[in-house]
Amino acid sequence: MALLTFLGAIQEVTGSCYLLETRDGSRVLLDCGMHQGRREEDESNSKPFAFDPHSLNAVVVSHAHIDHTGLLPRLATAGYNGPIYATEATCELMDLMLLDSAHIQENDAEWESKWRARQGKPPVQPLYTTADAQKALSLCRPLPYGQSQEVAPGVQVTFHDAGHILGSAIVELEVHDHHLTRHLVFSGDLGNSSTPLMPDPTILTRADVVLMESTYGDRDHRPTEETLEEFAEILQTAHREGGNVLIPSFAVGRTQDLLFYLGRFYQEGRLPQQAVFLDSPMAIRANAIYSRFGEHFDPADRALLRDKGVKRAEDWLPILRPTLTPDESMAINRIKSGAIIIAGSGMCNGGRIVHHFKHNLWREECHVVFPGYQAQGTLGRRIIDGASTVRVLHQNIAVRAKVHTLGGFSAHAGQSQLIDWVSHFDHHPELYLVHGELEKMQILKQALHDRLDWVATIPEPGEQIAL
């Protein structure tokens, strides 16, 4: 009988990774994500893989976010040279995100090595390099939604739209093993049905085993219109108080949502700021990819943009100022008021946002808006948890700016949406909760029992089950 091993995103949000093995010898890896957050989670990224990379027949990727793809360069360097299957849009976004991740790894190692040299310590090596990322990207094999593909002997994969970010997929695996056929469905990250541009997650009805994410398993998101009204009021307040608005944002998915909403405010005459700086080279390039795959947008939003003659983000939001170069980014620091600055990284553990924190976080008239989840151990989480000072670029910076969290912007399904999605499966297949913090999983498990009389399982790290 086929076996499934839970290797990552088990009782935690990041590091998505699962290994499928059949008795006939096929081995397929689902996702190969980076752990993000606390130092011990970061350190786990450099540990040896719990399997032999040479033994894998295939890797199947649900979507491009780094917590689902970020260790693929290490996998390729460790000897894996088989195909990496993903949707076409995911392959394009992975090209963008993995090269950016490698660049960050190289820069961080160089920076750390300089500090260590002053202390008489040896240099450190990057987790992986640009060459490693390019090696992994050369293995990518795009598949369209809805088309079944044999990825290993006896293992068929079909991608379905997950509605999370562009190219995101629910992964359906049909496993044929010694005359027994079993269906495994991995939700990947399920989208919030209120998210702009993306369609609702595809409804499936057939499975023997379901792995379902539980990032927001403990609660529902606020209604989108309420969140938008709060967002608009924050922008008005910041304008009156004479400060800037800083928005740490993930380059892929969240940034495109924010630009859509800011464009809507602009079109309605409700955006008082003079400029919106998109200070993220990766997000700027991601916008171009989104534009190329506009046929995947939600039909209603696609029609709205078409009717307005929108072909690129600047058409929808004319005050948008993309800043590609470091000099353009640094020039923003001369602006003391009237600016919205969207920059990565989304959890503030690097990227250009930390430089803007250095210049704005200590200013009472400024505002910081967190539009998404902040994992434990990240700089973003420390700020929203109320830290009075934070360490930024080797300096202690006071947190005097007004801090706001807008959970309604999440691109993840909330509790009711998760329960609704899984409720369509016939005959209550075995259900395992992954990709969530333990306390949130426990709340979702109880809700599933109360609403659907369905007993879900929370697996342990390294646990193995028979399909």
Side-chain angles (χ1 to χ4, degrees), residues 151-166:
V151 298
V155 181
Q156 298 272 343
V157 165
T158 308
F159 289 131
H160 306 276
D161 200 332
H164 174 58
I165 63 169
L166 185 70

Side-chain angles (χ1 to χ4, degrees), residues 277-386:
F277 292 97
L278 180 54
D279 193 27
S280 167
M282 185 164 65
I284 294 166
R285 296 183 181 106
N287 283 353
I289 295 173
Y290 266 66
S291 296
R292 288 202 298 276
F293 286 89
E295 73 275 8
H296 291 304
F297 291 174
D298 177 81
D301 292 333
R302 190 167 67 238
L304 172 64
L305 296 174
R306 183 181 63 245
D307 293 345
K308 292 284 187 178
V310 174
K311 294 183 179 179
R312 55 186 188 143
E314 290 87 338
D315 300 330
W316 181 241
L317 181 59
I319 62 171
L320 181 64
R321 303 288 181 264
T323 51
L324 268 172
T325 69
D327 286 344
E328 290 173 323
S329 175
M330 288 187 287
I332 300 172
N333 295 327
R334 296 196 293 266
I335 299 173
K336 302 305 179 184
S337 67
I340 297 171
I341 304 167
I342 303 172
S345 67
M347 294 188 192
C348 313
N349 273 7
R352 292 183 178 182
I353 192 64
V354 296
H355 294 275
H356 297 299
F357 279 170
K358 178 181 175 181
H359 291 271
N360 293 272
L361 195 59
W362 50 272
R363 299 173 58 211
E364 293 181 355
E365 67 273 23
C366 289
H367 292 249
V368 181
V369 177
F370 288 96
Y373 180 82
Q374 302 296 308
Q376 292 183 4
T378 61
L379 174 58
R381 183 64 166 259
R382 290 194 291 277
I383 292 173
I384 65 173
D385 282 347

Side-chain angles (χ1 to χ4, degrees), residues 101-143:
S101 177
H103 180 67
I104 291 172
Q105 301 300 325
E106 291 170 332
N107 281 356
D108 285 353
E110 181 182 3
W111 182 270
E112 182 66 21
S113 293
K114 287 179 180 178
W115 278 89
R116 290 173 64 88
R118 295 173 187 173
Q119 301 170 43
K121 297 179 180 179
V124 298
Q125 297 301 315
L127 182 64
Y128 50 79
T129 65
T130 298
D132 298 333
Q134 290 170 334
K135 184 175 183 180
L137 291 166
S138 71
L139 305 175
C140 287
R141 303 290 182 267
L143 292 178

